[in-house]
């Protein structure tokens, strides 16, 4: 190829580009380090800035011209950087070149007309240099252009008030109020009028303010304002108007409480009582807690406590009766009703409500309908035992409840256990055992077995615990937690052989809910007993059932944890062999993710215990991560959706794949040669 000639049009591919080295650099530099060094160097000037003396007007003119050229160049480079504009205008201001500074600010406003910072700096420059009319014109332009920016209005009113132009400040506030700003703006207007003793104007502003923002807190502020200025009749009218305006839907307890407190200050206790009752009658329970507390405190100080309690309880009682009449199976209402009656202390009423509640038996024999209902019986029994201390009535409640539940369809272990615990508290252990034995015979459940066993464990009846565990495992042989607890009991009693036999029976079960927990407990037991050969045998038996990668890793870690004599590397060799066998097994099964997890553990092992050759062996087996594409599961023939995923390519698989490909090509060549020889014959 001649010099200067290109490869275009020759039909040949140009020389492929050289692949850059994509490995990590030997010295890593973080972004934080770069920023820190840059900051340190910025604070340390590399050269001293010469000081310049200006001796005449000509030099001053040249200096200003040079500075202006620098500012203009910066603006030309990046006209959207507002900091450059502000620096430029500030410098012109420092040179007392107000016309030029205004020109810069105006140009900046043309670039970003809605930038509040530009307007504020412009206005502050005029105010600082006492250019009042310029500042007033600027503020007028700003509030006209951006009336929703409160900073301009605050600055405008502050300037007019500072100049003593109160009528002009008032006019600005009036212009602002037409836009209906938030309550802080109205409060600022009111405070200004109060500073100049214009109370009538402040009253009128408050009335306009509440008409625009009629929230409950604003009504309260208005009323307190009038109260502070001794307009008591006006205060009462405001509270009354607020309650009428808000109505029953928007009525807030804070308004009612504030109104009642005002009447209490005026010594109008009957008025306050009527107001409290009015609020309690119209506000729901969830929105009247504070009101109820204030009413209670009021009656404690100025009225009859019994009377107010009767009023409130009677009101709630009527409300609950109405809800029960609408839906007698609403058990949440029954719970609230019984709690209300318990608070009154009338035992007869409490029992009457409880009897009416438990009479509402759920329809059908489905457990989900009984879940809330059964707690009525529990609360009833606890009330009789703890409050009235009627033991016979409590026992009768438990008996009736257990008779009512259809145990053939479903049962509630909680009831059986509570009844048994009640008998234990009465020192009737035999009755408690009969109850739990009856429960296990009629409707066995895991929770019942556990509760019965816990009872016997507390009584230190270990033979009974063994019997119960046996029945428990006959009922549910797949429960790994039961096998583990049974074995732990034997271990606690020092019966290691029994414990080992229980574990053996457990792992031989054909079906287990969580077999990994049982095997782990068995292995931990043998390790705790320092039976390393038996533990090794357990791991081998477990690997015959499952060749999970975590089992191999745990096996290797066990071998490393065995205490050998110093210099003995038997544990290390055993662990290395386990890793090697596990890798070969997973390679045959083509398990990629498990192999990666195993190699990571193997690599950590070799980093701690292996030589350089051993580390290199593991490093050569580490896979490459590649990104691939495949059809998504929700794709169709008409609409094919591709998704990306990551795959692992192992060096062993690549070599094996190349060998298989070479053998296939050899077979194809041999077949082709035999066909040609046949044709020639």
């Amino acid at each position: 190829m001649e010099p200067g000639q290109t490869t275009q049009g020759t039909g040949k591919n140009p020389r492929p580009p050289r692949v850059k080295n994509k490995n990590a650099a030997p010295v890593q530099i973080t972004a934080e380090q770069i920023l820190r060094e840059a900051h340190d160097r910025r604070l340390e000037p590399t050269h001293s800035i010469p000081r310049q003396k200006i001796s005449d007007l000509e030099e001053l003119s040249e200096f200003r011209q040079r500075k202006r050229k620098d500012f203009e160049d910066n603006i030309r480079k990046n006209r959207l950087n507002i900091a450059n504009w502000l620096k430029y205008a500030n410098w012109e201001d420092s040179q007392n070149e107000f016309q030029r500074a205004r020109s810069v600010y105006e140009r900046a406003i043309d670039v970003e007309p809605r930038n509040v910072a530009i307007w504020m700096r412009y206005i502050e420059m005029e105010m600082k240099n006492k250019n009042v009319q310029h500042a007033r014109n600027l503020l007028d332009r700003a509030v006209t252009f951006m009336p929703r920016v409160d900073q301009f209005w605050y600055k405008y009113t502050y300037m007019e008030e500072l100049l003593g132009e109160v009528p002009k400040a008032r006019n600005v506030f009036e212009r602002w109020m037409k836009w209906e700003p938030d309550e802080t703006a109205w409060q600022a207007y009111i405070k200004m009028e109060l500073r100049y003793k214009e109370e009538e104007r402040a009253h009128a502003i408050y009335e306009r303010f509440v008409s625009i923002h009629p929230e409950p807190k604003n009504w309260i502020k208005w009323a307190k304002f009038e109260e502070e200025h001794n307009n008591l009749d006006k205060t009462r009218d405001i509270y009354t108007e607020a309650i009428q305006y808000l109505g029953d839907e928007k009525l807030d307890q804070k308004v009612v409480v504030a109104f009642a407190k005002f009447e209490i200050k005026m010594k109008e206790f009957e008025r306050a009582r009527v107001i409290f009752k009015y609020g309690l009658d119209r506000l729901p329970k969830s929105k009247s807690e504070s009101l109820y507390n204030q009413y209670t405190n009021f009656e404690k100080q100025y009225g009859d406590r019994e009377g107010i309690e009767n009023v409130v309880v009677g009101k709630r009682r009527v409300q609950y009766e109405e809800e029960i009449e609408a839906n007698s199976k609403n058990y949440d209402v029954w719970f609230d009703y019984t709690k209300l009656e318990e608070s009154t202390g009338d035992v007869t009423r409490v029992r009457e409500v409880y009897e009416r509640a438990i009479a509402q038996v759920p329809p059908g024999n489905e457990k989900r309908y009984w879940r809330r209902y059964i707690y009525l019986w529990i609360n009833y029994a606890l009330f009789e035992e703890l409050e009235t201390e009627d033991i016979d009535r409590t026992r009768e409640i438990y008996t009736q409840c257990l008779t009512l539940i259809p145990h053939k369809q479903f049962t509630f272990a909680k009831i059986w256990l509570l009844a048994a615990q009640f008998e234990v508290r009465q020192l009737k252990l035999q009755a408690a055992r009969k109850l739990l034995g009856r429960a296990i015979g009629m409707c066995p459940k895991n929770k019942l077995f556990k509760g019965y066993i816990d009872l016997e464990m507390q009584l230190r009846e270990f033979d009974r615990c063994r019997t119960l565990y046996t029945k428990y495992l006959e009922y549910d042989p797949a429960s790994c937690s039961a096998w583990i607890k049974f074995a732990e009991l034997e271990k606690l009693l020092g019966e290691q052989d029994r414990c080992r036999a229980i574990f053996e029976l457990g792992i031989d079960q054909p079906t287990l809910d969580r077999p990994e927990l049982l095997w782990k407990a068995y292995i931990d037991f043998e390790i705790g007993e320092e039976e390393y050969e038996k533990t090794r045998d357990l791991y081998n038996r477990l690997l015959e059932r499952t060749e999970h990668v975590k089992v191999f890793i745990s096996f290797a870690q066990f071998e490393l944890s065995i205490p050998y004599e110093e210099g003995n590397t038997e544990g290390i060799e055993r662990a290395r062999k386990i890793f090697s066998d596990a890798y070969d097994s997973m390679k045959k099964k083509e398990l990629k993710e498990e192999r990666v997890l195993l190699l990571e553990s193997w690599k950590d092992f070799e980093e701690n215990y292996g030589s350089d050759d051993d580390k290199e062996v593991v490093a050569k087996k580490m896979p490459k991560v590649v990104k691939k594409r495949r059809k998504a599961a929700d794709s169709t023939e008409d609409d094919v959706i591709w998704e990306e995923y990551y795959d692992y390519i192992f060096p062993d698989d690549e070599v094996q794949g190349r060998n298989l490909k070479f053998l296939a090509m050899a077979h194809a060549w041999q077949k082709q040669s035999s066909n040609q020889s046949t044709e020639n014959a």
Side-chain angles (χ1 to χ4, degrees):
M1 183 181 295
E2 296 296 332
Q5 183 179 354
T6 62
T7 59
Q8 295 179 357
T10 60
K12 297 181 180 180
N13 292 328
R15 179 181 298 174
R18 295 178 62 187
V19 178
K20 296 181 180 179
N21 184 8
K22 296 184 179 180
N23 293 331
V27 179
Q28 297 291 322
I29 300 175
T30 62
E32 181 183 0
Q33 183 178 353
I34 294 171
L35 292 174
R36 187 169 57 252
E37 291 181 359
H39 180 73
D40 295 342
R41 293 179 182 179
R42 182 181 64 82
L43 296 177
E44 299 176 0
T46 57
H47 60 280
S48 60
I49 301 173
R51 299 184 65 180
Q52 182 179 2
K53 285 187 176 182
I54 298 174
S55 58
D56 55 17
L57 292 176
E58 185 177 357
E59 289 184 3
L60 178 61
S61 178
E62 290 179 0
F63 168 72
R64 288 178 175 176
Q65 186 175 1
R66 188 166 58 253
K67 288 289 288 184
R68 288 188 182 109
K69 183 178 182 301
D70 293 339
F71 281 122
E72 291 291 345
D73 290 341
N74 290 335
I75 291 171
R76 196 178 300 110
K77 290 176 185 176
N78 188 1
R79 66 193 301 269
L80 297 179
N81 188 354
I82 301 303
N84 292 334
W85 292 98
L86 296 178
K87 290 178 183 177
Y88 190 6
N90 189 36
W91 182 81
E92 293 288 0
D93 180 23
S94 67
Q95 300 296 315
N96 293 327
E97 294 285 349
F98 302 125
Q99 287 298 118
R100 289 181 177 273
R102 292 188 188 106
S103 176
V104 174
Y105 276 122
E106 292 293 341
R107 289 165 61 194
I109 289 173
D110 290 339
V111 173
E112 282 197 22
R114 293 193 174 275
N115 192 309
V116 178
I118 300 174
W119 286 94
M120 292 301 294
R121 294 284 289 273
Y122 193 3
I123 294 164
E124 288 169 358
M125 182 198 76
E126 299 291 2
M127 291 175 64
K128 181 182 67 174
N129 294 293
K130 299 181 180 180
N131 297 324
V132 176
Q133 196 58 40
H134 281 286
R136 188 176 284 127
N137 293 338
L138 270 176
L139 286 166
D140 194 79
R141 285 171 57 194
V143 298
T144 304
F145 184 58
M146 289 180 284
R148 293 297 181 185
V149 179
D150 292 345
Q151 287 177 275
F152 298 141
W153 293 105
Y154 282 121
K155 182 68 74 174
Y156 201 174
T157 56
Y158 169 75
M159 186 190 75
E160 296 293 358
E161 190 176 355
L162 191 65
L163 295 171
E165 299 286 348
V166 178
K168 289 185 178 181
R170 187 176 292 118
N171 291 335
V172 174
F173 268 117
E174 287 296 332
R175 289 175 58 190
W176 190 6
M177 296 304 110
K178 291 180 181 178
W179 292 95
E180 298 183 0
D182 58 8
E183 59 185 60
T184 55
W186 291 90
Q187 293 294 333
Y189 191 9
I190 293 168
K191 288 178 181 178
M192 188 201 76
E193 296 292 359
L194 292 176
R195 282 196 293 271
Y196 298 101
K197 310 299 181 182
E198 296 286 347
E199 295 183 4
E200 292 300 325
R201 290 180 180 273
H203 295 317
I205 295 167
Y206 247 122
E207 187 170 358
R208 291 164 55 195
F209 163 51
V210 173
S211 65
I212 294 173
H213 298 284
E215 287 81 13
K217 61 179 181 178
N218 295 332
W219 286 98
I220 296 172
K221 287 181 182 178
W222 186 17
K224 289 184 176 180
F225 171 77
E226 298 292 349
E227 184 181 354
E228 290 173 359
H229 291 80
N230 293 323
N231 296 329
L232 304 181
D233 294 335
K234 181 66 175 177
T235 305
R236 185 175 288 114
D237 294 340
I238 290 170
Y239 278 124
T240 305
E241 186 180 353
I243 291 175
Q244 292 176 354
Y245 178 84
L246 295 173
D248 294 344
E249 295 181 357
K250 297 182 180 179
L251 184 62
D252 194 336
Q253 61 179 345
K254 294 180 180 178
V255 177
V256 180
V257 171
F259 193 5
K261 286 183 176 180
F262 167 74
E263 296 295 352
I264 293 171
K265 288 181 183 178
M266 299 296 106
K267 308 297 182 182
E268 296 285 349
F269 302 123
E270 288 302 322
R271 282 178 177 269
R273 184 174 287 107
V274 171
I275 293 166
F276 275 124
K277 290 182 179 180
Y278 179 88
L280 288 172
D281 291 340
R282 283 161 177 78
L283 285 172
K285 182 180 179 181
S286 59
K287 296 181 179 180
S288 60
E289 293 181 2
S290 176
L291 178 61
Y292 175 76
N293 295 333
Q294 293 291 338
Y295 189 18
T296 305
N297 294 333
F298 166 75
E299 289 294 343
K300 286 180 180 178
Q301 295 178 10
Y302 306 106
D304 186 3
R305 179 179 179 181
E306 183 179 357
I308 181 58
E309 286 183 352
N310 290 335
V311 170
V312 175
V313 170
K315 173 187 173 296
R316 296 299 180 195
R317 191 177 290 131
V318 171
Q319 180 181 351
Y320 290 141
E321 290 291 346
E322 292 175 354
E323 294 181 6
I324 289 170
E325 185 178 358
N327 182 11
S328 61
K329 298 294 189 294
N330 189 346
Y331 300 117
D332 292 331
V333 177
W334 285 110
F335 285 126
D336 294 337
Y337 200 178
T338 54
K339 189 179 294 184
L340 174 70
E341 296 297 348
E342 285 181 19
S343 65
T344 62
D346 191 344
V347 177
T348 305
R349 273 188 173 276
V350 175
R351 285 174 177 167
E352 179 186 354
V353 174
Y354 268 121
E355 291 293 338
R356 290 172 57 196
I358 62 178
Q360 305 300 322
V361 182
N365 289 333
E366 294 187 29
K367 189 173 182 178
R368 59 194 179 96
Y369 297 126
W370 287 65
R371 292 188 187 277
R372 295 288 290 162
Y373 168 73
I374 206 69
Y375 279 95
L376 288 171
W377 287 93
I378 294 173
N379 291 348
Y380 191 9
L382 293 177
F383 169 76
E384 293 291 351
E385 181 184 0
L386 301 177
E387 299 296 333
T388 65
E389 298 181 357
D390 192 338
I391 305 303
D392 294 334
R393 194 178 186 90
T394 305
R395 185 176 290 110
E396 182 182 355
I397 291 170
Y398 279 122
T399 304
Q400 290 179 2
C401 180
L402 292 172
T403 305
L404 183 65
I405 298 173
H407 299 290
K408 292 183 179 180
Q409 283 78 26
F410 58 86
T411 190
F412 290 94
K414 184 183 290 292
I415 288 292
W416 291 103
L417 294 174
L418 286 174
Q421 291 165 5
F422 164 74
E423 296 294 351
V424 171
R425 288 193 291 272
Q426 307 309 317
L427 303 180
K428 294 188 176 182
L429 300 180
Q430 197 61 30
R433 288 191 176 112
K434 284 183 180 180
L435 264 176
L436 293 175
R438 177 182 160 205
I440 291 172
M442 290 177 59
C443 45
K445 289 184 68 175
N446 292 343
K447 194 173 181 180
L448 283 172
F449 280 107
K450 291 177 182 178
Y452 199 175
I453 291 169
D454 289 341
L455 174 63
E456 298 296 351
M457 283 287 290
Q458 292 174 7
L459 298 173
R460 298 297 186 266
E461 294 287 346
F462 300 116
D463 290 334
R464 288 182 178 273
C465 291
R466 286 192 179 108
T467 304
L468 287 171
Y469 270 121
T470 304
K471 292 182 179 180
Y472 185 9
L473 292 172
E474 289 176 359
Y475 163 70
D476 186 10
S479 175
C480 290
S481 62
W483 289 103
I484 295 171
K485 291 290 184 182
F486 194 5
E488 288 177 354
L489 171 65
E490 298 296 349
K491 180 182 177 182
L492 180 66
L493 299 175
E495 298 287 346
Q496 278 74 15
D497 293 335
R498 281 177 174 269
C499 179
R500 191 173 287 111
I502 291 168
F503 275 124
E504 288 292 339
L505 286 173
I507 63 177
D508 289 339
Q509 295 299 316
T511 304
L512 292 170
D513 53 3
R514 300 186 69 183
E516 66 277 3
L517 294 181
L518 185 59
W519 280 93
K520 184 180 183 303
Y522 194 4
I523 290 170
D524 292 342
F525 164 73
E526 295 292 1
I527 293 174
E529 296 295 324
E530 297 184 358
E531 296 287 348
Y532 301 122
E533 287 298 329
K534 291 182 179 180
T535 307
R536 192 175 290 115
D537 180 62
L538 271 177
Y539 270 115
N540 290 325
R541 289 166 59 189
L542 179 58
L543 288 173
E544 291 176 0
R545 299 193 180 193
T546 174
E547 293 186 350
H548 197 277
V549 61
K550 291 185 179 180
V551 179
F552 282 107
I553 296 173
S554 177
F555 193 5
Q557 291 172 350
F558 158 71
E559 293 292 353
L560 291 173
S561 65
I562 298 176
Y564 290 99
E565 296 180 0
E566 187 175 357
N568 191 345
T569 61
E570 182 182 352
I572 297 173
E573 295 300 328
R574 285 179 179 273
R576 185 175 289 115
K577 186 176 184 306
I578 292 169
F579 278 121
S580 178
D581 294 342
Y583 182 81
D584 294 338
S585 173
M586 293 175 189
K587 179 181 175 182
K588 290 179 182 178
K589 295 182 179 180
E590 298 181 356
L591 301 175
K592 294 187 176 182
E593 294 182 358
E594 288 79 358
R595 286 164 71 185
V596 173
L597 183 61
L598 180 72
L599 285 172
E600 292 292 339
S601 299
W602 195 358
K603 181 180 177 182
D604 294 339
F605 162 74
E606 296 295 355
E607 290 288 340
N608 294 323
Y609 303 101
S611 61
D612 293 338
D613 294 337
D614 296 327
K615 296 176 185 177
E616 187 177 356
V617 169
V618 180
K620 289 181 179 180
K621 295 179 182 295
M622 295 301 289
K624 298 178 182 177
V625 182
V626 295
K627 186 184 290 185
K628 293 184 178 181
R629 295 177 64 202
R630 63 187 175 191
K631 289 184 180 180
D634 54 349
S635 62
T636 60
E637 295 181 359
D638 298 333
D639 185 12
V640 179
I641 301 174
W642 296 92
E643 64 179 4
E644 293 183 349
Y645 70 100
Y646 291 95
D647 195 9
Y648 300 99
I649 299 178
F650 293 85
D652 297 346
D653 296 344
E654 287 186 328
V655 174
Q656 184 178 2
R658 287 197 294 268
N659 293 337
L660 293 174
K661 186 176 181 181
F662 178 74
L663 290 174
M665 293 174 62
H667 283 299
W669 177 79
Q670 183 180 7
K671 184 177 181 181
Q672 184 178 4
S673 300
S674 62
N675 291 336
Q676 289 179 356
S677 61
T678 303
E679 290 176 359
N680 294 333

